[in-house]
Amino acid sequence: MKEDSELILENEVKQNSWKMRPCTFYKEEYKECRSIKGRFQQYFVNGDILDCSSWQHDLNDCINFEEKGDFRSAKRVIDNENLRRKERMQGHWENDVWKKRSKPPDDFNKPLPDFITKRYENSYLEAKSKEMKGEALPDTIKEATYCTLM
Amino acid sequence: MTEKESPKPDFSKLSEENIKNYTRTEDKSEAKKWGYDLYPERRNEEFKSSWTNIFMGKEGTEATDRYKCEKNVYKCIKSSPLVKLMMDALKSSGCGIDIRRHISCEVCDYSVSGGYDPTLNQIVVCQNVAKNEGLVQGDASIFRIKQAHQNCVKTKALCSVLAVRKVTAEEGLAAIERVFPKCYKDLEPIGRRVRRNSTDSQRAYLEAGYYGYGAD
């Protein structure tokens, strides 16, 4: 019979397990953090090298959880991920230089002026755009062969 | 994407009137002030190359340049993790990019390599300037490397500002310094400072979903 605290822990982990990355991800981050080029980048940007131990801990905990189902390990990873998310988003939330929109601009998709649409009529991007949207290509594009002398 | 609030005389007029109004003299000086003169194909004008320039190999290849530019654009949106990330992030904010409607390859002034036109909502790629994937600018020397990244960013920002706004370097730099502390810390939607020649961009793309920028 599991204790309540264990059940609570298990629930918390199950609800938040999506925050955990695949273990290979932590391995990659740890490798990058400790690499020479990575260190150089840290010095270049931050003025100092970073502490890479959190990636190592998360890697070990991730493996623990995957192999043994240890919920305490999972909780540690999830807590670290929460911390990372907070640190990353902090700069974004505090940035009030730009006035945030509540919706896209009304004219975002407004039709372009005629002289521009004429220019685009048989262009490469016109064909690709239609292809991406699953629309049929007009015959003029289907038959076009892009042959240049250059 | 958000729009910066700043006093823009007649800017709402510019967005509604037809682009051919740029040929009117009063709008020409207005156009120059906001950098629109650097993008001549935004006006109702076909690029006219001169015979001398064609012989010198500087002009005359506009059609092929445009085609190559568009091919590069398509390649980037299909394979570049950062471009894909930005497009996903824009889509999840309600601004899905249609590669024909919102991207334009054209001939520009050599001082710019691209830009964004907020009146037509188009990303402009300068086919005659941005010919290779990935432009690099350096500002740090081996002896001044510590935290040089910030200076690099400021320098690049200053170049961009001076290219499209008629202000002095001092005014430009002052404006950058005013917003720098907050803007520099905001890494969204990429979420990290990507190191060239590393797998940073792939990892940034892979974790986009955790931050709400997933493609559906």
PDB file of all heavy atoms in Angstrom, chain B residues 58-83:
ATOM      1  N   LYS B  58      27.464  43.524 -63.719  1.00  0.00           N
ATOM      2  CA  LYS B  58      26.840  43.916 -62.449  1.00  0.00           C
ATOM      3  C   LYS B  58      25.324  43.784 -62.512  1.00  0.00           C
ATOM      4  O   LYS B  58      24.669  43.586 -61.509  1.00  0.00           O
ATOM      5  CB  LYS B  58      27.209  45.378 -62.115  1.00  0.00           C
ATOM      6  CG  LYS B  58      28.649  45.511 -61.638  1.00  0.00           C
ATOM      7  CD  LYS B  58      28.837  46.759 -60.783  1.00  0.00           C
ATOM      8  CE  LYS B  58      28.726  48.005 -61.623  1.00  0.00           C
ATOM      9  NZ  LYS B  58      29.072  49.219 -60.856  1.00  0.00           N
ATOM     10  N   GLU B  59      24.781  43.938 -63.707  1.00  0.00           N
ATOM     11  CA  GLU B  59      23.321  43.859 -63.811  1.00  0.00           C
ATOM     12  C   GLU B  59      22.943  42.959 -64.972  1.00  0.00           C
ATOM     13  O   GLU B  59      23.793  42.451 -65.666  1.00  0.00           O
ATOM     14  CB  GLU B  59      22.737  45.266 -64.026  1.00  0.00           C
ATOM     15  CG  GLU B  59      22.853  46.150 -62.800  1.00  0.00           C
ATOM     16  CD  GLU B  59      22.482  47.586 -63.120  1.00  0.00           C
ATOM     17  OE1 GLU B  59      22.011  47.839 -64.233  1.00  0.00           O
ATOM     18  OE2 GLU B  59      22.658  48.435 -62.239  1.00  0.00           O
ATOM     19  N   GLY B  60      21.671  42.780 -65.193  1.00  0.00           N
ATOM     20  CA  GLY B  60      21.198  41.998 -66.332  1.00  0.00           C
ATOM     21  C   GLY B  60      20.813  40.586 -65.972  1.00  0.00           C
ATOM     22  O   GLY B  60      20.259  39.860 -66.775  1.00  0.00           O
ATOM     23  N   THR B  61      21.085  40.178 -64.752  1.00  0.00           N
ATOM     24  CA  THR B  61      20.758  38.802 -64.378  1.00  0.00           C
ATOM     25  C   THR B  61      19.598  38.760 -63.405  1.00  0.00           C
ATOM     26  O   THR B  61      19.463  37.826 -62.628  1.00  0.00           O
ATOM     27  CB  THR B  61      21.966  38.121 -63.707  1.00  0.00           C
ATOM     28  OG1 THR B  61      22.381  38.919 -62.595  1.00  0.00           O
ATOM     29  CG2 THR B  61      23.114  37.958 -64.676  1.00  0.00           C
ATOM     30  N   GLU B  62      18.726  39.790 -63.453  1.00  0.00           N
ATOM     31  CA  GLU B  62      17.702  39.894 -62.415  1.00  0.00           C
ATOM     32  C   GLU B  62      16.753  38.702 -62.382  1.00  0.00           C
ATOM     33  O   GLU B  62      16.363  38.253 -61.315  1.00  0.00           O
ATOM     34  CB  GLU B  62      16.864  41.175 -62.590  1.00  0.00           C
ATOM     35  CG  GLU B  62      17.592  42.436 -62.184  1.00  0.00           C
ATOM     36  CD  GLU B  62      18.660  42.815 -63.168  1.00  0.00           C
ATOM     37  OE1 GLU B  62      18.393  42.732 -64.378  1.00  0.00           O
ATOM     38  OE2 GLU B  62      19.757  43.172 -62.726  1.00  0.00           O
ATOM     39  N   ALA B  63      16.387  38.220 -63.586  1.00  0.00           N
ATOM     40  CA  ALA B  63      15.412  37.133 -63.605  1.00  0.00           C
ATOM     41  C   ALA B  63      16.000  35.871 -62.981  1.00  0.00           C
ATOM     42  O   ALA B  63      15.345  35.195 -62.174  1.00  0.00           O
ATOM     43  CB  ALA B  63      14.947  36.858 -65.032  1.00  0.00           C
ATOM     44  N   THR B  64      17.257  35.560 -63.354  1.00  0.00           N
ATOM     45  CA  THR B  64      17.860  34.358 -62.773  1.00  0.00           C
ATOM     46  C   THR B  64      18.156  34.564 -61.298  1.00  0.00           C
ATOM     47  O   THR B  64      18.003  33.647 -60.490  1.00  0.00           O
ATOM     48  CB  THR B  64      19.179  33.977 -63.488  1.00  0.00           C
ATOM     49  OG1 THR B  64      19.922  35.159 -63.701  1.00  0.00           O
ATOM     50  CG2 THR B  64      18.897  33.289 -64.791  1.00  0.00           C
ATOM     51  N   ASP B  65      18.569  35.794 -60.922  1.00  0.00           N
ATOM     52  CA  ASP B  65      18.814  36.068 -59.508  1.00  0.00           C
ATOM     53  C   ASP B  65      17.562  35.841 -58.698  1.00  0.00           C
ATOM     54  O   ASP B  65      17.598  35.283 -57.595  1.00  0.00           O
ATOM     55  CB  ASP B  65      19.278  37.520 -59.314  1.00  0.00           C
ATOM     56  CG  ASP B  65      20.731  37.712 -59.706  1.00  0.00           C
ATOM     57  OD1 ASP B  65      21.425  36.690 -59.890  1.00  0.00           O
ATOM     58  OD2 ASP B  65      21.158  38.871 -59.836  1.00  0.00           O
ATOM     59  N   ARG B  66      16.445  36.296 -59.257  1.00  0.00           N
ATOM     60  CA  ARG B  66      15.179  36.150 -58.521  1.00  0.00           C
ATOM     61  C   ARG B  66      14.863  34.675 -58.357  1.00  0.00           C
ATOM     62  O   ARG B  66      14.451  34.221 -57.287  1.00  0.00           O
ATOM     63  CB  ARG B  66      14.037  36.850 -59.253  1.00  0.00           C
ATOM     64  CG  ARG B  66      12.698  36.625 -58.552  1.00  0.00           C
ATOM     65  CD  ARG B  66      11.611  37.538 -59.062  1.00  0.00           C
ATOM     66  NE  ARG B  66      11.862  38.906 -58.645  1.00  0.00           N
ATOM     67  CZ  ARG B  66      11.462  39.974 -59.311  1.00  0.00           C
ATOM     68  NH1 ARG B  66      10.814  39.839 -60.442  1.00  0.00           N
ATOM     69  NH2 ARG B  66      11.719  41.185 -58.861  1.00  0.00           N
ATOM     70  N   TYR B  67      15.052  33.917 -59.434  1.00  0.00           N
ATOM     71  CA  TYR B  67      14.766  32.478 -59.379  1.00  0.00           C
ATOM     72  C   TYR B  67      15.659  31.792 -58.341  1.00  0.00           C
ATOM     73  O   TYR B  67      15.191  31.000 -57.519  1.00  0.00           O
ATOM     74  CB  TYR B  67      14.961  31.862 -60.766  1.00  0.00           C
ATOM     75  CG  TYR B  67      14.813  30.369 -60.785  1.00  0.00           C
ATOM     76  CD1 TYR B  67      13.594  29.764 -60.473  1.00  0.00           C
ATOM     77  CD2 TYR B  67      15.884  29.546 -61.106  1.00  0.00           C
ATOM     78  CE1 TYR B  67      13.462  28.385 -60.477  1.00  0.00           C
ATOM     79  CE2 TYR B  67      15.758  28.179 -61.124  1.00  0.00           C
ATOM     80  CZ  TYR B  67      14.545  27.593 -60.808  1.00  0.00           C
ATOM     81  OH  TYR B  67      14.423  26.231 -60.818  1.00  0.00           O
ATOM     82  N   LYS B  68      16.963  32.126 -58.377  1.00  0.00           N
ATOM     83  CA  LYS B  68      17.886  31.514 -57.411  1.00  0.00           C
ATOM     84  C   LYS B  68      17.516  31.908 -55.988  1.00  0.00           C
ATOM     85  O   LYS B  68      17.563  31.104 -55.058  1.00  0.00           O
ATOM     86  CB  LYS B  68      19.324  31.967 -57.702  1.00  0.00           C
ATOM     87  CG  LYS B  68      19.939  31.304 -58.906  1.00  0.00           C
ATOM     88  CD  LYS B  68      21.369  31.798 -59.108  1.00  0.00           C
ATOM     89  CE  LYS B  68      21.903  31.343 -60.452  1.00  0.00           C
ATOM     90  NZ  LYS B  68      23.214  31.963 -60.755  1.00  0.00           N
ATOM     91  N   CYS B  69      17.142  33.175 -55.814  1.00  0.00           N
ATOM     92  CA  CYS B  69      16.753  33.666 -54.501  1.00  0.00           C
ATOM     93  C   CYS B  69      15.551  32.892 -53.999  1.00  0.00           C
ATOM     94  O   CYS B  69      15.515  32.443 -52.852  1.00  0.00           O
ATOM     95  CB  CYS B  69      16.448  35.163 -54.592  1.00  0.00           C
ATOM     96  SG  CYS B  69      15.749  35.895 -53.109  1.00  0.00           S
ATOM     97  N   GLU B  70      14.550  32.696 -54.873  1.00  0.00           N
ATOM     98  CA  GLU B  70      13.340  32.002 -54.450  1.00  0.00           C
ATOM     99  C   GLU B  70      13.637  30.546 -54.119  1.00  0.00           C
ATOM    100  O   GLU B  70      13.070  29.980 -53.178  1.00  0.00           O
ATOM    101  CB  GLU B  70      12.253  32.124 -55.533  1.00  0.00           C
ATOM    102  CG  GLU B  70      11.764  33.558 -55.681  1.00  0.00           C
ATOM    103  CD  GLU B  70      10.488  33.704 -56.500  1.00  0.00           C
ATOM    104  OE1 GLU B  70      10.036  32.713 -57.103  1.00  0.00           O
ATOM    105  OE2 GLU B  70       9.954  34.822 -56.524  1.00  0.00           O
ATOM    106  N   LYS B  71      14.540  29.955 -54.886  1.00  0.00           N
ATOM    107  CA  LYS B  71      14.921  28.577 -54.569  1.00  0.00           C
ATOM    108  C   LYS B  71      15.588  28.490 -53.199  1.00  0.00           C
ATOM    109  O   LYS B  71      15.340  27.575 -52.430  1.00  0.00           O
ATOM    110  CB  LYS B  71      15.873  28.033 -55.636  1.00  0.00           C
ATOM    111  CG  LYS B  71      15.176  27.456 -56.838  1.00  0.00           C
ATOM    112  CD  LYS B  71      16.108  26.629 -57.698  1.00  0.00           C
ATOM    113  CE  LYS B  71      16.176  25.196 -57.211  1.00  0.00           C
ATOM    114  NZ  LYS B  71      16.967  24.351 -58.104  1.00  0.00           N
ATOM    115  N   ASN B  72      16.436  29.475 -52.894  1.00  0.00           N
ATOM    116  CA  ASN B  72      17.093  29.510 -51.590  1.00  0.00           C
ATOM    117  C   ASN B  72      16.086  29.691 -50.467  1.00  0.00           C
ATOM    118  O   ASN B  72      16.199  29.078 -49.410  1.00  0.00           O
ATOM    119  CB  ASN B  72      18.126  30.650 -51.535  1.00  0.00           C
ATOM    120  CG  ASN B  72      19.469  30.214 -52.061  1.00  0.00           C
ATOM    121  OD1 ASN B  72      19.802  29.038 -52.039  1.00  0.00           O
ATOM    122  ND2 ASN B  72      20.246  31.165 -52.554  1.00  0.00           N
ATOM    123  N   VAL B  73      15.117  30.571 -50.714  1.00  0.00           N
ATOM    124  CA  VAL B  73      14.072  30.803 -49.712  1.00  0.00           C
ATOM    125  C   VAL B  73      13.361  29.499 -49.411  1.00  0.00           C
ATOM    126  O   VAL B  73      13.182  29.109 -48.252  1.00  0.00           O
ATOM    127  CB  VAL B  73      13.067  31.869 -50.212  1.00  0.00           C
ATOM    128  CG1 VAL B  73      11.792  31.855 -49.377  1.00  0.00           C
ATOM    129  CG2 VAL B  73      13.684  33.253 -50.178  1.00  0.00           C
ATOM    130  N   TYR B  74      12.973  28.791 -50.478  1.00  0.00           N
ATOM    131  CA  TYR B  74      12.236  27.536 -50.284  1.00  0.00           C
ATOM    132  C   TYR B  74      13.099  26.538 -49.525  1.00  0.00           C
ATOM    133  O   TYR B  74      12.631  25.848 -48.610  1.00  0.00           O
ATOM    134  CB  TYR B  74      11.804  26.973 -51.641  1.00  0.00           C
ATOM    135  CG  TYR B  74      10.957  25.726 -51.524  1.00  0.00           C
ATOM    136  CD1 TYR B  74       9.673  25.799 -50.980  1.00  0.00           C
ATOM    137  CD2 TYR B  74      11.431  24.488 -51.943  1.00  0.00           C
ATOM    138  CE1 TYR B  74       8.897  24.660 -50.861  1.00  0.00           C
ATOM    139  CE2 TYR B  74      10.656  23.350 -51.827  1.00  0.00           C
ATOM    140  CZ  TYR B  74       9.384  23.440 -51.286  1.00  0.00           C
ATOM    141  OH  TYR B  74       8.612  22.319 -51.168  1.00  0.00           O
ATOM    142  N   LYS B  75      14.369  26.472 -49.879  1.00  0.00           N
ATOM    143  CA  LYS B  75      15.290  25.548 -49.206  1.00  0.00           C
ATOM    144  C   LYS B  75      15.378  25.885 -47.716  1.00  0.00           C
ATOM    145  O   LYS B  75      15.347  25.000 -46.862  1.00  0.00           O
ATOM    146  CB  LYS B  75      16.657  25.666 -49.869  1.00  0.00           C
ATOM    147  CG  LYS B  75      17.650  24.640 -49.380  1.00  0.00           C
ATOM    148  CD  LYS B  75      18.903  24.625 -50.263  1.00  0.00           C
ATOM    149  CE  LYS B  75      20.023  23.935 -49.490  1.00  0.00           C
ATOM    150  NZ  LYS B  75      21.333  24.504 -49.705  1.00  0.00           N
ATOM    151  N   CYS B  76      15.473  27.182 -47.408  1.00  0.00           N
ATOM    152  CA  CYS B  76      15.570  27.589 -46.010  1.00  0.00           C
ATOM    153  C   CYS B  76      14.334  27.229 -45.217  1.00  0.00           C
ATOM    154  O   CYS B  76      14.413  26.738 -44.102  1.00  0.00           O
ATOM    155  CB  CYS B  76      15.797  29.101 -45.902  1.00  0.00           C
ATOM    156  SG  CYS B  76      17.494  29.574 -46.201  1.00  0.00           S
ATOM    157  N   ILE B  77      13.146  27.481 -45.799  1.00  0.00           N
ATOM    158  CA  ILE B  77      11.946  27.221 -45.011  1.00  0.00           C
ATOM    159  C   ILE B  77      11.719  25.733 -44.819  1.00  0.00           C
ATOM    160  O   ILE B  77      11.014  25.305 -43.917  1.00  0.00           O
ATOM    161  CB  ILE B  77      10.675  27.874 -45.599  1.00  0.00           C
ATOM    162  CG1 ILE B  77      10.341  27.306 -46.964  1.00  0.00           C
ATOM    163  CG2 ILE B  77      10.780  29.367 -45.673  1.00  0.00           C
ATOM    164  CD1 ILE B  77       8.856  27.068 -47.091  1.00  0.00           C
ATOM    165  N   LYS B  78      12.348  24.935 -45.712  1.00  0.00           N
ATOM    166  CA  LYS B  78      12.167  23.496 -45.579  1.00  0.00           C
ATOM    167  C   LYS B  78      13.216  22.866 -44.677  1.00  0.00           C
ATOM    168  O   LYS B  78      12.976  21.848 -44.036  1.00  0.00           O
ATOM    169  CB  LYS B  78      12.263  22.822 -46.970  1.00  0.00           C
ATOM    170  CG  LYS B  78      10.984  22.886 -47.762  1.00  0.00           C
ATOM    171  CD  LYS B  78       9.880  22.121 -47.095  1.00  0.00           C
ATOM    172  CE  LYS B  78       8.623  22.089 -47.903  1.00  0.00           C
ATOM    173  NZ  LYS B  78       7.499  21.519 -47.159  1.00  0.00           N
ATOM    174  N   SER B  79      14.415  23.468 -44.629  1.00  0.00           N
ATOM    175  CA  SER B  79      15.492  22.761 -43.941  1.00  0.00           C
ATOM    176  C   SER B  79      16.120  23.521 -42.779  1.00  0.00           C
ATOM    177  O   SER B  79      16.770  22.922 -41.948  1.00  0.00           O
ATOM    178  CB  SER B  79      16.586  22.390 -44.942  1.00  0.00           C
ATOM    179  OG  SER B  79      17.121  23.577 -45.486  1.00  0.00           O
ATOM    180  N   SER B  80      15.950  24.833 -42.706  1.00  0.00           N
ATOM    181  CA  SER B  80      16.622  25.541 -41.626  1.00  0.00           C
ATOM    182  C   SER B  80      15.805  25.465 -40.348  1.00  0.00           C
ATOM    183  O   SER B  80      14.662  25.911 -40.315  1.00  0.00           O
ATOM    184  CB  SER B  80      16.832  27.006 -42.011  1.00  0.00           C
ATOM    185  OG  SER B  80      17.119  27.772 -40.864  1.00  0.00           O
ATOM    186  N   PRO B  81      16.381  24.911 -39.264  1.00  0.00           N
ATOM    187  CA  PRO B  81      15.605  24.787 -38.020  1.00  0.00           C
ATOM    188  C   PRO B  81      15.128  26.139 -37.500  1.00  0.00           C
ATOM    189  O   PRO B  81      14.008  26.251 -36.995  1.00  0.00           O
ATOM    190  CB  PRO B  81      16.594  24.151 -37.041  1.00  0.00           C
ATOM    191  CG  PRO B  81      17.650  23.533 -37.868  1.00  0.00           C
ATOM    192  CD  PRO B  81      17.738  24.331 -39.119  1.00  0.00           C
ATOM    193  N   LEU B  82      15.972  27.172 -37.631  1.00  0.00           N
ATOM    194  CA  LEU B  82      15.571  28.469 -37.084  1.00  0.00           C
ATOM    195  C   LEU B  82      14.440  29.084 -37.892  1.00  0.00           C
ATOM    196  O   LEU B  82      13.515  29.679 -37.336  1.00  0.00           O
ATOM    197  CB  LEU B  82      16.774  29.421 -37.038  1.00  0.00           C
ATOM    198  CG  LEU B  82      17.863  29.039 -36.039  1.00  0.00           C
ATOM    199  CD1 LEU B  82      18.958  30.090 -36.028  1.00  0.00           C
ATOM    200  CD2 LEU B  82      17.304  28.873 -34.639  1.00  0.00           C
ATOM    201  N   VAL B  83      14.511  28.936 -39.211  1.00  0.00           N
ATOM    202  CA  VAL B  83      13.437  29.496 -40.041  1.00  0.00           C
ATOM    203  C   VAL B  83      12.135  28.756 -39.750  1.00  0.00           C
ATOM    204  O   VAL B  83      11.075  29.369 -39.582  1.00  0.00           O
ATOM    205  CB  VAL B  83      13.788  29.400 -41.548  1.00  0.00           C
ATOM    206  CG1 VAL B  83      12.616  29.791 -42.408  1.00  0.00           C
ATOM    207  CG2 VAL B  83      14.982  30.265 -41.866  1.00  0.00           C
TER     208      VAL B  83
END
